[in-house]
């Protein structure tokens, strides 16, 4: 077996550049879905149920994309065709979703249409996102993987900053941030339009710049027999997965449950803590929604800085655990920062956890998977450790919300506790 060659910085950059556009779409979804559905008339006690669809689509789509792309060889590459198709569908849906309330439908039909669009959006984003992780697994050697995933993390967070800031910026330049009852404001609608345009341009760039290995070249660096590739199924792969796969999965469970509650409740939590309202029909609530986007951007910028710092830690486990603890502290501080500028501090701390969550798990897992084959299928299955906790958290969210008194800000403390539990689980990881 040949050793995978070292890649230049710009080749590593090109492998992941399209992630910038994909992450703009993902940022717009994560920061605005609760706001959109609250504007359309959703009850906050049922809000977490709307968040079941994104991870459910992820757990269905990503293993399928991973498995199919493992067996796909064509003139356009192995992973890139799935990236391009996913991005094209995402662009179409991003133009439809924010207009759900402007189609003259009844409230119930608006909710149904919005849910269908959300399902398609997350399906397409997952389809576009997964190939980037697989490209790194296919073409980058173990020595450079931490660097490659850190570059991916940087581009991911840079895209997040852009996506999160769009509604705030468009309001600042003059687009209306309010609309008739049940209609999404133009500042949000145009954010989705521009995000869709950037997404397709970034994916075209990656398609033109990245040349995947052909089957012969791939087999020289990733020697797995055809018989093994063809016969293994998902259950067999999971049975044979290295212990690191499951141990990192436990850490992932607590981390992604924590962030699901942030995406679901943080707009209302910030509005409740700073603007003293959770009434989605008020102008104050829409202002809080824009400011939450700014806070998300600050979180992403903090993640960019922290992602550059993480590779400098000699003890990877310590860096991982410490990052999650800092994020847990950040979540717990949100209900106690009554000034909108003070909210910057907790979101910077949350950014540390987010940077570690994007880079560390895949570094541990892809290194442990060397020699197992089926890299795409395994990474697709590993996505279950992202999706399952979100589904569980979404199902339990309404009950926890009610038991804790119906205050969205209290759910941020729940997120903080979950991240600390994730940090404790990091101590069980053992690198060879």
């Amino acid at each position: 077996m040949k050793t995978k060659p070292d890649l230049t910085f710009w080749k590593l950059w090109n492998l992941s550049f399209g992630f910038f556009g994909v992450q703009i779409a993902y940022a717009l979804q994560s920061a605005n879905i609760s706001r959109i559905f609250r504007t359309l008339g959703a009850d906050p006690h049922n809000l977490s149920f709307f968040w079941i669809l994104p991870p459910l689509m992820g757990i269905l789509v990503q293993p399928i994309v991973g498995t199919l792309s493992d067996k796909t060889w064509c003139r356009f590459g192995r992973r890139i065709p799935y990236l391009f198709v996913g991005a094209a569908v995402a662009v179409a849906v991003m133009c439809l979703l924010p207009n759900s309330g402007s189609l003259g439908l009844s409230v119930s039909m608006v909710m149904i249409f919005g849910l269908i669009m959300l399902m398609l959006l997350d399906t397409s984003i997952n389809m576009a996102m997964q190939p980037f992780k697989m490209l790194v697994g296919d073409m980058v050697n173990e020595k450079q993987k931490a660097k490659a995933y850190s570059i991916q993390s940087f581009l991911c967070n840079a895209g997040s900053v852009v996506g999160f800031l769009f509604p705030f910026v468009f309001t600042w330049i003059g687009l209306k941030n309010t609309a008739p009852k049940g209609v999404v404001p133009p500042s949000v609608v145009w954010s989705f339009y521009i995000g869709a345009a950037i997404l397709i341009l970034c994916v075209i760039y990656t398609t033109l710049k990245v040349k995947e290995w052909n089957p012969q070249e791939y087999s020289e660096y990733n020697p797995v027999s055809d018989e093994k590739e063809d016969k293994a199924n998902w259950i067999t792969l999971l049975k044979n997965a290295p212990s690191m796969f499951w141990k990192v999965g436990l850490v992932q469970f607590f981390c992604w449950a924590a962030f699901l509650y942030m995406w679901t409740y943080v707009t209302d939590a910030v509005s409740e803590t700073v603007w003293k309202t959770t009434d989605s029909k008020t102008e104050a609530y829409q202002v809080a929604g824009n400011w939450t986007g700014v806070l998300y951007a600050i979180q992403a910028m903090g993640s960019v800085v922290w992602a550059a710092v993480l590779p400098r830690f000699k003890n990877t486990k310590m860096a991982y655990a410490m990052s999650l603890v800092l994020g847990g502290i950040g979540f717990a501080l949100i209900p106690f920062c009554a000034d909108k500028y003070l909210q910057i501090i907790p979101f910077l701390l949350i950014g540390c956890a987010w940077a570690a969550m994007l880079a560390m798990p895949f570094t541990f897992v892809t290194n442990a998977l060397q020699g197992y084959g089926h890299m795409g299928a395994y990474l697709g299955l590993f996505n279950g450790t992202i999706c399952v906790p979100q589904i569980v958290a979404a199902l339990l969210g309404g009950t926890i919300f009610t038991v804790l008194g119906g205050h969205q800000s209290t759910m941020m403390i729940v997120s903080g506790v979950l991240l600390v539990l994730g940090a404790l689980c990091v101590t069980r990881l053992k690198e060879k």
Side-chain angles (χ1 to χ4, degrees):
M1 179 182 70
K2 290 185 179 180
T3 302
K4 294 177 185 178
D6 287 345
L7 300 179
T8 64
F9 172 83
W10 289 111
K11 285 185 177 180
L12 293 173
W13 175 274
N14 290 340
L15 278 177
S16 296
F17 182 74
F19 216 113
F20 176 79
V22 174
Q23 195 60 29
I24 289 178
Y26 190 71
L28 286 167
Q29 173 188 290
S30 59
N32 293 285
I33 288 303
S34 286
R35 178 183 181 182
I36 287 172
F37 280 103
R38 289 280 281 123
T39 301
L40 295 176
D43 186 323
H45 288 82
N46 299 325
L47 197 58
S48 67
F49 293 121
F50 291 94
W51 283 93
I52 293 174
L53 281 176
L56 183 60
M57 290 301 100
I59 202 172
L60 292 174
V61 171
Q62 296 217 29
I64 293 172
V65 171
T67 301
L68 290 177
S69 66
D70 279 342
K71 300 176 182 179
T72 297
W73 299 101
C74 68
R75 58 177 294 191
F76 301 107
R78 191 186 193 197
R79 316 295 187 183
I80 286 177
Y82 296 89
L83 160 65
F84 197 85
V85 172
V89 175
V91 167
V93 177
M94 287 174 72
C95 295
L96 292 172
L97 175 60
N99 290 301
S100 300
S102 306
L103 303 176
L105 303 174
S106 65
V107 174
S108 59
M109 289 304 297
V110 165
M111 290 295 174
I112 292 172
F113 180 82
L115 283 171
I116 293 172
M117 290 299 101
L118 175 58
M119 179 182 68
L120 291 174
L121 177 60
D122 206 77
T123 299
S124 56
I125 288 176
N126 274 291
M127 190 173 179
M129 188 180 296
Q130 184 70 355
F132 291 107
K133 300 170 186 175
M134 291 186 266
L135 283 170
V136 173
D138 287 346
M139 303 181 70
V140 179
N141 60 40
E142 290 188 35
K143 182 177 67 175
Q144 289 190 303
K145 270 183 184 167
K147 182 177 181 181
Y149 282 123
S150 292
I151 290 172
Q152 201 167 91
S153 179
F154 170 82
L155 288 166
C156 176
N157 286 296
S160 295
V161 170
V162 175
F164 291 142
L165 285 177
F166 270 166
F168 179 85
V169 171
F170 287 145
T171 301
W172 180 69
I173 64 175
L175 287 179
K176 289 185 177 180
N177 195 43
T178 56
K181 182 180 177 181
V183 176
V184 177
S187 58
V188 176
V189 173
W190 276 95
S191 297
F192 276 78
Y193 289 167
I194 302 302
I198 295 174
L199 167 59
I200 198 64
L201 290 174
C202 289
V203 169
I204 289 172
Y205 175 89
T206 295
T207 303
L208 294 175
K209 288 290 185 179
V210 175
K211 185 181 184 300
E212 294 187 71
W213 290 327
N214 61 40
Q216 291 74 29
E217 291 171 321
Y218 180 85
S219 64
E220 290 177 0
Y221 298 107
N222 302 273
V224 179
S225 70
D226 292 337
E227 182 181 358
K228 183 180 176 184
E229 287 281 2
D230 290 339
K231 289 187 176 180
N233 56 50
W234 293 349
I235 295 175
T236 303
L237 292 176
L238 290 173
K239 286 181 178 178
N240 295 330
S243 61
M244 182 65 75
F245 182 98
W246 300 106
K247 290 177 180 179
V248 176
L250 183 60
V251 179
Q252 293 272 83
F253 183 88
F254 293 110
C255 293
W256 287 94
F259 274 81
L260 186 281
Y261 288 143
M262 180 182 79
W263 297 326
T264 305
Y265 297 106
V266 77
T267 299
D268 281 32
V270 170
S271 184
E272 181 180 53
T273 303
V274 179
W275 279 269
K276 311 303 180 186
T277 182
T278 57
D279 185 352
S280 62
K281 296 185 288 294
T282 63
E283 182 177 357
Y285 182 86
Q286 298 299 335
V287 171
N290 279 1
W291 186 249
T292 302
V294 173
L295 294 174
Y296 271 125
I298 289 167
Q299 170 204 317
M301 287 186 281
S303 295
V304 169
V305 175
W306 195 246
V309 173
L310 283 175
R312 300 179 182 274
F313 282 89
K314 292 182 179 180
N315 189 324
T316 308
K317 280 173 54 177
M318 184 191 74
Y320 195 2
M322 182 176 68
S323 300
L324 297 183
V325 170
L326 289 173
I329 294 171
F331 276 125
L333 286 175
I334 289 175
F336 302 101
C337 296
D339 182 88
K340 70 177 185 178
Y341 295 108
L342 282 178
Q343 290 283 345
I344 291 173
I345 296 172
F347 276 82
L348 284 173
L349 295 175
I350 293 168
C352 296
W354 185 243
M357 285 168 58
L358 291 177
M360 295 294 190
F362 290 98
T363 300
F364 280 107
V365 170
T366 55
N367 285 342
L369 286 172
Q370 293 302 313
Y372 278 75
H374 302 278
M375 180 67 75
Y378 266 119
L379 290 183
L381 291 168
F382 185 68
N383 188 64
T385 67
I386 296 173
C387 300
V388 170
Q390 293 182 67
I391 293 170
V392 173
L395 289 171
L396 296 177
T399 302
I400 297 172
F401 178 73
T402 301
V403 169
L404 295 179
H407 294 288
Q408 287 88 339
S409 55
T410 307
M411 296 300 290
M412 298 301 97
I413 297 176
V414 174
S415 291
V417 171
L418 288 170
L419 275 190
V420 172
L421 290 174
L424 292 175
C425 293
V426 171
T427 60
R428 299 182 69 248
L429 305 182
K430 292 182 180 180
E431 281 191 290
K432 293 183 179 179

